[in-house]
Amino acid sequence: MILLECKNLTKKYGIRTALSHVNLLIEPGHIIGLLGPNGSGKTTLIKLIAGLLAPTEGMAYVEGNPVGLASKSLVSYLPDHTYLNSRMRVQDAIRLFEDFYQDFSSACAHDMLAKLDIDPSFRLKSLSKGAKEKVQLILAMSRQAKLYLLDEPIAGVDPAARDYILRMLISNYREDASILISTHLISDIENILDEVIFLQNGQIRAFTSVDGLRQKDHKSIDSIFREVFKC
Amino acid sequence: MPWNLNSDRPIFLQIIDKIQIDIVSGFYQPGDKLPSVRELAQEASVNPNTMQKALSELERTGLVYSQRTSGRFITEDKDMIYALKEQRAQALAQHFLENMQRLGFQKEEIFRFLSQFLKAQ
């Protein structure tokens, strides 16, 4: 069964091509790293799959549904910036998600908030950058989606909380769902990945298993990335 | 024992190493039940598929066996565990020998050094 299929997916911003003829098949049950230098097309790819951008050419399909109403109920998307009204309280954001998504579990969200020591009665604007990121990640992960698209989920989070978040991602692992994580913090995250996609200039340079790559090159994914994309 | 996974070797090989040592050292006794893939993956902070691969490999070598409904268990074959212990000790001895030779020690000197060192411990 194919969870996500991208066929000839292309996105141009004016004359600049951000993503060029990407073909991709993702099966359920994987945690996949989407890696690439700045401007390589990671966020564009994620936004196309989430349905926030319209492709210039080609199409993405989630469980066979072209990106649209049906696919959006299967996809949980975490943007790389804050998008919630900062005057909202954390608990209001949870209620909002509960209203919008049938597959959202507020019990699950409250449980994770407690573990990360975030008071649900706080307003978002009173939270630190890291805490705000944690709230958004918790919201995204409290859905029972098939495909989780996490755009830079741990960038502003301290190392201890990062460990908790990684464990949280593992404990939420389901055989019928996959997680696509875009990040620059490869060394922090590579142990929880089983596959990686290297994006370069809007094209997929490699899509491979993490241990296969480590076995072949005797190096971490982080070192391989540094070599492949050396400036 | 904590999971000290380093970055330059495939993760599943390091998991196999760690579980082998846990068996040889007696942390897991013959016949003990192993935690589930999910629990082990969470404890080690690794991908569940990678943990699954390591356990399948341990199963293939016979060190671990699975019972369809109740999970995975450590072999009750004590000879097999002892053979593994010797095999690991041999690798360590080989490593030690090579390093000592790199320092310029001859075999007799290494032997003398080691017996003195052990006496002083």
Side-chain angles (χ1 to χ4, degrees), chain A residues 34-40 42 152 182-189 222 225-226:
Chain A
L34 180 60
L35 315 176
N38 300 115
S40 55
K42 301 187 295 291
E152 287 288 349
S182 118
T183 187
H184 292 298
L185 299 165
I186 306 171
S187 60
D188 279 338
I189 214 170
D222 187 69
F225 181 92
R226 283 168 206 259

Side-chain angles (χ1 to χ4, degrees), chain B residues 8-117:
Chain B
D8 49 355
R9 286 175 64 220
I11 298 158
F12 84 97
L13 290 178
Q14 299 185 53
I15 295 171
I16 291 173
D17 267 356
K18 155 81 164 73
I19 296 177
Q20 280 188 346
I21 290 170
D22 280 351
I23 295 172
V24 160
S25 69
F27 177 79
Y28 291 126
Q29 292 291 322
D32 271 2
K33 186 176 188 304
L34 271 173
S36 70
V37 171
R38 189 181 288 269
E39 283 165 349
L40 284 170
Q42 224 173 328
E43 196 188 302
S45 288
V46 301
N47 188 290
N49 293 318
T50 312
M51 184 57 74
Q52 174 70 41
K53 187 175 170 190
L55 292 176
S56 305
E57 186 55 28
L58 285 166
E59 222 172 279
R60 200 186 59 76
T61 62
L63 207 57
V64 161
Y65 66 95
S66 76
Q67 253 164 7
R68 197 171 285 268
T69 50
S70 47
R72 283 195 175 77
F73 297 84
I74 308 298
T75 179
E76 276 149 40
D77 183 347
K78 288 183 182 148
D79 292 341
M80 180 192 259
I81 294 174
Y82 193 76
L84 178 67
K85 193 171 187 163
E86 277 190 330
Q87 191 190 323
R88 297 206 66 110
Q90 203 147 25
L92 285 176
Q94 181 70 32
H95 189 68
F96 172 74
L97 182 65
E98 278 164 18
N99 278 325
M100 290 299 272
Q101 282 171 335
R102 208 170 294 151
L103 290 174
F105 283 92
Q106 302 297 316
K107 276 188 182 167
E108 302 75 48
E109 289 177 290
I110 296 172
F111 186 72
R112 214 172 331 121
F113 176 84
L114 197 58
S115 53
Q116 268 171 8
F117 180 79

Side-chain angles (χ1 to χ4, degrees), chain A residues 29 171 173 192 194 211 214, chain B residues 6 9 11-12 38 47 49:
Chain A
S171 69
Y173 171 88
I192 75 154
D194 58 345
D211 265 354
R214 284 162 69 125
Chain B
N6 63 33
R9 286 175 64 220
I11 298 158
F12 84 97
R38 189 181 288 269
N47 188 290
N49 293 318

